[in-house]
Amino acid sequence: MADCPARTVERQGLAAARLDRPADEARRDVIGSGIAIQDVVKAYGQFRAADHISLDIQPGEFITLLGPSGSGKTTLLNLLAGFQKLDRGRISVDGRPIHDIPTHRRGFGMVFQSYALFPNMTVSQNVGFPLRMAGIDRETAERRVAETLDIMRLSDHARKTPSQMSGGQQQRVAIARAIVMRPKVVLMDEPLSALDRRLRESIQIEIRALHQTIGSTILFVTHDQGEALTMSDRIAVMDAGKIIQCGTPTEIYRHPQNRFVASFVGESNLIDAEIVQKRGTTMTLKSRSGHVFTAESRNAIDVGRASVLVRPERIAISGEPAPNSLPATVTSALFLGELLRIEARTDGGETLLIRCTDVADRPLPASGDRLHVRWGANDCWVLS
Ligand code: ATP
């Protein structure tokens, strides 16, 4: 390297890269930072864009902030990046408070929706820019740029300028530039939202693979629940400046805490019912039409009225009543090949969406047919 590794480390602040290692080794050896966000508040006048947020992010974790527009995702990312100041609370990285460290010395990699590339520079120059700013020697910088272009499959485009590249390629250049210093933390704010669906899906897979390769902690912002489920180790679901629930994609999808999370993540059927008995995590409920069924939940709930979540793919249909079944009338049925998409109205008045696999020789349900919808106790979840 690097004439003076210690100075480079100093210049790059908390998340300095180890640029003095051989390329292959350096590809793998970043251990991302742990981040502790404690009781953070950011207000604009009376309005709290971040309202007492606490979140512990593990070293090397891929964590996604997911929420509707205006829920405070970008605000939280900006507070971490240092673009905005906290009104209250504390953010620490690897145990050290970062409030007094300016953005450029936090050493985070950053990727935004707009690629923000320098139009007159080639791809190599764009990617090498942070190395130049950090005063990294030319040989090390060239090696690191080549290696990063290789990771992002951009080597063939090294001499192009941004205007000669597609949107997806430009975003990959922006990501390459963000990781070229091997930051311990990478912040990504809706980086894929300007891309079409197919491209988005392929770059999602690339970012996920990249995360495995470089080992940085990644904080990713999106309002796209599919993206969050595919990419994250954990998802923090936000609404109105608060984190409503934080958990793995399966926890969030299968065991949401409340109606907001259940409706925001995935397709959901919410059934009104009354909890008539509670034994451990198993509850006996009575539907509006008076049918009794059982469901699970670890949410803190008392007997009384409740909402029960059943995902469309967990519902089976049959002609005969069975335990845990409700009578319903088909209101629409679509044959989608391997799947049937059925809407049915229960006798209690709830409209249910059902996605079930096609079965050979079973006649397709039609509007007006009476049937029984059923599920296992484990397939439904009582919300708090
Ligand atoms: P989106 O997905 O639309 O980007 P978001 O979840 O990232 O939304 P934020 O950008 O964090 O939401 O904004 C949260 C709330 O704070 C919004 O209601 C927004 O209008 C408000 N807000 C953000 N920045 C400012 C500001 N500088 N002045 C006043 N209000 C602001």
Side-chain angles (χ1 to χ4, degrees), residues 44 47-49 67-76 78 84 189-190 221-223:
Y44 299 108
F47 176 78
R48 284 193 186 146
S69 184
S71 55
K73 309 178 295 290
T74 299
T75 299
L76 185 55
N78 286 345
Q84 286 170 344
D189 192 355
E190 307 247 9
V221 163
T222 184
H223 59 262

Short mmCIF file of all heavy atoms in Angstrom, two decimals, residues 44 47-49 67-76 78 84 189-190 221-223, ligand 1:
data_model
loop_
_atom_site.label_atom_id
_atom_site.label_comp_id
_atom_site.label_asym_id
_atom_site.label_seq_id
_atom_site.Cartn_x
_atom_site.Cartn_y
_atom_site.Cartn_z
N TYR A 44 -39.30 18.04 12.93
CA TYR A 44 -39.40 19.25 12.11
C TYR A 44 -40.57 20.04 12.68
O TYR A 44 -41.71 19.65 12.49
CB TYR A 44 -39.63 18.91 10.64
CG TYR A 44 -38.51 18.08 10.05
CD1 TYR A 44 -38.70 16.74 9.76
CD2 TYR A 44 -37.26 18.65 9.80
CE1 TYR A 44 -37.66 15.98 9.25
CE2 TYR A 44 -36.23 17.89 9.28
CZ TYR A 44 -36.43 16.56 9.01
OH TYR A 44 -35.41 15.81 8.50
N PHE A 47 -43.56 18.16 14.27
CA PHE A 47 -43.70 16.84 13.64
C PHE A 47 -42.45 15.99 13.86
O PHE A 47 -41.34 16.41 13.55
CB PHE A 47 -43.94 17.04 12.14
CG PHE A 47 -44.00 15.75 11.38
CD1 PHE A 47 -45.14 14.97 11.42
CD2 PHE A 47 -42.91 15.32 10.63
CE1 PHE A 47 -45.19 13.77 10.73
CE2 PHE A 47 -42.96 14.13 9.94
CZ PHE A 47 -44.09 13.36 9.99
N ARG A 48 -42.64 14.79 14.40
CA ARG A 48 -41.49 13.91 14.63
C ARG A 48 -41.31 12.93 13.48
O ARG A 48 -42.10 11.99 13.33
CB ARG A 48 -41.70 13.10 15.91
CG ARG A 48 -41.47 13.95 17.13
CD ARG A 48 -41.39 13.06 18.36
NE ARG A 48 -41.32 13.89 19.54
CZ ARG A 48 -41.85 13.57 20.71
NH1 ARG A 48 -42.47 12.43 20.86
NH2 ARG A 48 -41.74 14.38 21.73
N ALA A 49 -40.28 13.16 12.68
CA ALA A 49 -40.00 12.26 11.56
C ALA A 49 -39.34 10.98 12.08
O ALA A 49 -39.46 9.91 11.48
CB ALA A 49 -39.10 12.94 10.54
N GLY A 67 -41.08 0.67 4.85
CA GLY A 67 -42.26 1.40 5.33
C GLY A 67 -42.84 2.23 4.22
O GLY A 67 -42.19 2.47 3.20
N PRO A 68 -44.05 2.72 4.42
CA PRO A 68 -44.68 3.55 3.39
C PRO A 68 -43.98 4.90 3.29
O PRO A 68 -43.17 5.26 4.14
CB PRO A 68 -46.12 3.71 3.89
CG PRO A 68 -46.06 3.45 5.37
CD PRO A 68 -44.90 2.54 5.60
N SER A 69 -44.33 5.64 2.24
CA SER A 69 -43.76 6.96 2.03
C SER A 69 -44.03 7.84 3.26
O SER A 69 -45.14 7.85 3.80
CB SER A 69 -44.43 7.56 0.79
OG SER A 69 -43.84 8.78 0.51
N GLY A 70 -43.00 8.53 3.72
CA GLY A 70 -43.17 9.44 4.85
C GLY A 70 -43.03 8.77 6.20
O GLY A 70 -43.23 9.41 7.24
N SER A 71 -42.67 7.49 6.24
CA SER A 71 -42.61 6.80 7.53
C SER A 71 -41.33 7.10 8.31
O SER A 71 -41.20 6.72 9.47
CB SER A 71 -42.78 5.29 7.35
OG SER A 71 -41.82 4.79 6.44
N GLY A 72 -40.34 7.73 7.64
CA GLY A 72 -39.13 8.15 8.37
C GLY A 72 -37.88 7.35 8.02
O GLY A 72 -36.86 7.50 8.69
N LYS A 73 -37.96 6.55 6.96
CA LYS A 73 -36.81 5.70 6.60
C LYS A 73 -35.59 6.53 6.23
O LYS A 73 -34.49 6.33 6.74
CB LYS A 73 -37.19 4.79 5.40
CG LYS A 73 -38.48 4.03 5.58
CD LYS A 73 -38.82 3.19 4.38
CE LYS A 73 -39.11 3.95 3.10
NZ LYS A 73 -40.39 4.70 3.10
N THR A 74 -35.81 7.50 5.31
CA THR A 74 -34.68 8.32 4.86
C THR A 74 -34.17 9.19 5.99
O THR A 74 -32.96 9.41 6.12
CB THR A 74 -35.12 9.18 3.65
OG1 THR A 74 -35.49 8.29 2.61
CG2 THR A 74 -34.01 10.09 3.17
N THR A 75 -35.07 9.66 6.84
CA THR A 75 -34.64 10.47 7.98
C THR A 75 -33.66 9.67 8.84
O THR A 75 -32.59 10.17 9.21
CB THR A 75 -35.87 10.88 8.82
OG1 THR A 75 -36.73 11.66 8.00
CG2 THR A 75 -35.47 11.67 10.05
N LEU A 76 -33.99 8.42 9.12
CA LEU A 76 -33.11 7.61 9.97
C LEU A 76 -31.77 7.38 9.27
O LEU A 76 -30.70 7.47 9.89
CB LEU A 76 -33.80 6.27 10.30
CG LEU A 76 -33.06 5.37 11.28
CD1 LEU A 76 -32.75 6.10 12.58
CD2 LEU A 76 -33.89 4.11 11.59
N ASN A 78 -30.40 9.33 7.04
CA ASN A 78 -29.68 10.61 7.03
C ASN A 78 -29.05 10.92 8.39
O ASN A 78 -27.97 11.51 8.45
CB ASN A 78 -30.63 11.75 6.64
CG ASN A 78 -30.94 11.73 5.15
OD1 ASN A 78 -30.25 11.07 4.38
ND2 ASN A 78 -31.98 12.43 4.74
N GLN A 84 -28.09 14.90 8.78
CA GLN A 84 -28.95 15.64 9.71
C GLN A 84 -28.51 15.37 11.14
O GLN A 84 -27.89 14.34 11.41
CB GLN A 84 -30.40 15.20 9.53
CG GLN A 84 -31.01 15.76 8.27
CD GLN A 84 -32.35 15.14 7.95
OE1 GLN A 84 -32.72 14.11 8.48
NE2 GLN A 84 -33.07 15.78 7.06
N ASP A 189 -30.16 4.03 -0.08
CA ASP A 189 -31.49 4.63 0.00
C ASP A 189 -32.25 4.40 -1.31
O ASP A 189 -32.00 5.08 -2.29
CB ASP A 189 -31.37 6.13 0.31
CG ASP A 189 -32.72 6.73 0.71
OD1 ASP A 189 -33.74 6.01 0.65
OD2 ASP A 189 -32.76 7.91 1.08
N GLU A 190 -33.14 3.45 -1.31
CA GLU A 190 -33.97 3.11 -2.48
C GLU A 190 -33.12 3.01 -3.74
O GLU A 190 -33.46 3.65 -4.75
CB GLU A 190 -35.07 4.17 -2.68
CG GLU A 190 -35.91 4.41 -1.43
CD GLU A 190 -37.35 3.95 -1.58
OE1 GLU A 190 -37.67 3.30 -2.58
OE2 GLU A 190 -38.12 4.23 -0.66
N VAL A 221 -32.77 0.95 2.44
CA VAL A 221 -34.10 1.54 2.58
C VAL A 221 -34.95 1.20 1.37
O VAL A 221 -34.50 1.32 0.23
CB VAL A 221 -33.99 3.09 2.69
CG1 VAL A 221 -35.33 3.76 2.42
CG2 VAL A 221 -33.51 3.48 4.07
N THR A 222 -36.17 0.75 1.61
CA THR A 222 -37.09 0.51 0.50
C THR A 222 -38.53 0.62 0.98
O THR A 222 -38.80 0.49 2.18
CB THR A 222 -36.85 -0.89 -0.14
OG1 THR A 222 -37.70 -1.03 -1.28
CG2 THR A 222 -37.14 -2.02 0.83
N HIS A 223 -39.45 0.88 0.03
CA HIS A 223 -40.86 0.77 0.40
C HIS A 223 -41.46 -0.47 -0.26
O HIS A 223 -42.66 -0.69 -0.23
CB HIS A 223 -41.64 2.03 0.01
CG HIS A 223 -41.57 2.33 -1.45
ND1 HIS A 223 -40.68 3.24 -1.98
CD2 HIS A 223 -42.24 1.81 -2.48
CE1 HIS A 223 -40.84 3.27 -3.29
NE2 HIS A 223 -41.76 2.40 -3.62
P1 ATP B 1 -40.16 8.10 1.13
O1 ATP B 1 -40.30 6.61 0.97
O2 ATP B 1 -41.27 8.86 0.47
O3 ATP B 1 -38.80 8.61 0.81
P2 ATP B 1 -39.50 8.13 3.97
O4 ATP B 1 -40.08 7.01 4.76
O5 ATP B 1 -38.07 8.01 3.58
O6 ATP B 1 -40.42 8.41 2.70
P3 ATP B 1 -38.75 10.63 5.17
O7 ATP B 1 -38.14 11.21 3.94
O8 ATP B 1 -37.84 10.17 6.23
O9 ATP B 1 -39.76 9.45 4.81
O10 ATP B 1 -39.75 11.70 5.77
C1 ATP B 1 -40.46 11.46 6.98
C2 ATP B 1 -41.37 12.62 7.24
O11 ATP B 1 -40.58 13.77 7.57
C3 ATP B 1 -42.22 13.03 6.04
O12 ATP B 1 -43.52 13.35 6.49
C4 ATP B 1 -41.52 14.24 5.51
O13 ATP B 1 -42.44 15.13 4.89
C5 ATP B 1 -40.91 14.86 6.74
N1 ATP B 1 -39.69 15.59 6.43
C6 ATP B 1 -38.56 15.06 5.93
N2 ATP B 1 -37.61 16.00 5.77
C7 ATP B 1 -38.17 17.17 6.18
C8 ATP B 1 -37.71 18.53 6.28
N3 ATP B 1 -36.48 18.85 5.92
N4 ATP B 1 -38.57 19.45 6.73
C9 ATP B 1 -39.82 19.10 7.13
N5 ATP B 1 -40.31 17.86 7.08
C10 ATP B 1 -39.51 16.89 6.62
#
